[in-house]
Amino acid sequence: MNKILIVEDETAIAELEKDYLELSGFEVEIENDGDQGLERALKEEFDLIILDLMLPGADGFEICKNVRSAKNIPILMVSAKKEDIDKIRGLGMGADDYITKPFSPSELVARVKAHLARYERLIGDSARENEVIEIRGLKIDKTARRVYVNNEERNFTTKEFDLLTFLAENPNRVYTKEELFQKIWDMDSIGDIATVTVHIKKIREKIEFNTSKPQYIETIWGVGYRFKV
């Protein structure tokens, strides 16, 4: 049974999320305080975290940043703030998804299942021989989920790694942001284009020698992105 931590100061919302998730077979814990939520997220073993943005104590950004530096589990950020800058900031700190309130509990459950399913598929088979992609100094170890640039390891979040690997495995083909969101996040991309944009930016910062003239991931203006080989 997957164990989920909800960090949410609005008790009614947290309890509603918990009820729907438990009905779907998840074990759920709730913390209403940011500091306590951060402590539990770091010390205990959870499979996924649902994280509100505005909290007493540590806010969602701080929690996300600290958890991501220590763990690679999926993080879903939830907020009533609709501004793109907050979404971009949250995704930039390592959140895997950003859901704007109000949302239906069934949508939350669907997103939780999608993130957990993908995460478990990707880490499930550690016994097979490492599968590696190597392109001009860039090495992607798919089995170990590690990335090296000129033999120097770079740290990647789950979705950053998934996106880079997908593009590298499908070189010289242009993908729209909508296509990438659907393939990597297993969801339709309505209102979530910033998710792809932010992840591409973070990937470039880690693998490109000059982000203004990328040698790996090209922007095809008005269309999308292409991994150049």
Side-chain angles (χ1 to χ4, degrees):
M1 181 181 294
N2 291 115
K3 188 175 180 181
I4 296 172
L5 174 64
I6 297 174
V7 188
E8 167 67 68
D9 63 329
E10 296 186 52
T11 303
I13 293 177
E15 291 293 343
L16 180 62
E17 292 172 351
K18 180 179 180 181
D19 288 345
Y20 270 79
L21 288 166
E22 287 183 338
L23 286 171
S24 297
F26 297 107
E27 180 182 349
V28 182
E29 298 287 335
I30 295 175
E31 279 296 337
N32 303 119
D33 176 80
D35 292 330
Q36 291 298 318
L38 175 58
E39 182 178 357
R40 292 194 65 183
L42 292 175
K43 289 184 177 180
E44 300 180 35
E45 293 299 320
F46 292 99
D47 298 295
L48 181 143
I49 297 174
I50 298 172
L51 181 60
D52 189 39
L53 182 58
M54 304 302 292
L55 295 162
D59 65 17
F61 294 126
E62 182 179 350
I63 296 172
C64 182
K65 181 179 179 181
N66 281 276
V67 173
R68 180 56 71 222
S69 67
K71 299 185 177 184
N72 204 26
I73 60 174
I75 299 174
L76 276 64
M77 190 166 280
V78 176
S79 177
K81 302 180 73 173
K82 296 180 173 62
E83 291 82 0
D84 282 344
I85 188 64
D86 294 302
K87 178 183 293 186
I88 292 169
R89 184 182 175 194
L91 295 169
M93 288 189 173
D96 294 283
D97 204 353
Y98 188 107
I99 309 174
T100 303
K101 298 177 183 177
F103 54 84
S104 70
S106 58
E107 178 190 0
L108 177 68
V109 172
R111 294 198 182 205
V112 165
K113 288 181 177 179
H115 283 289
L116 284 172
R118 174 170 287 275
Y119 181 71
E120 288 166 1
R121 285 199 305 270
L122 290 169
I123 67 171
D125 186 2
S126 59
R128 59 189 170 92
E129 183 179 352
N130 284 23
E131 187 176 352
V132 176
I133 302 169
E134 292 193 64
I135 303 169
R136 300 192 309 275
L138 173 65
K139 177 180 177 181
I140 305 169
D141 187 331
K142 293 177 59 180
T143 309
R145 296 185 63 79
R146 303 174 80 172
V147 177
Y148 302 85
V149 178
N150 291 333
N151 295 318
E152 180 181 335
E153 185 171 5
R154 306 293 168 85
N155 293 321
F156 277 68
T157 68
T158 301
K159 286 295 182 286
E160 289 170 1
F161 184 90
D162 295 347
L163 182 54
L164 173 62
T165 302
F166 175 79
L167 289 170
E169 287 183 321
N170 297 276
N172 300 323
R173 174 178 172 180
V174 180
Y175 288 93
T176 67
K177 295 173 185 178
E178 290 84 357
E179 288 175 324
L180 291 173
F181 191 89
Q182 194 280 326
K183 290 179 181 295
I184 303 304
W185 280 263
D186 289 334
M187 288 169 270
D188 292 331
S189 60
I190 299 174
D192 291 284
I193 295 301
T195 303
V196 175
T197 304
V198 171
H199 279 71
I200 291 290
K201 179 177 182 293
K202 300 297 286 187
I203 291 170
R204 282 175 171 162
E205 289 173 352
K206 295 175 182 181
I207 69 171
E208 298 286 0
F209 298 104
N210 183 350
T211 56
S212 64
K213 296 180 180 180
Q215 65 167 320
Y216 295 113
I217 301 177
E218 296 180 304
T219 298
I220 308 302
W221 294 107
V223 184
Y225 300 101
R226 174 176 64 196
F227 193 98
K228 182 172 63 175
V229 172

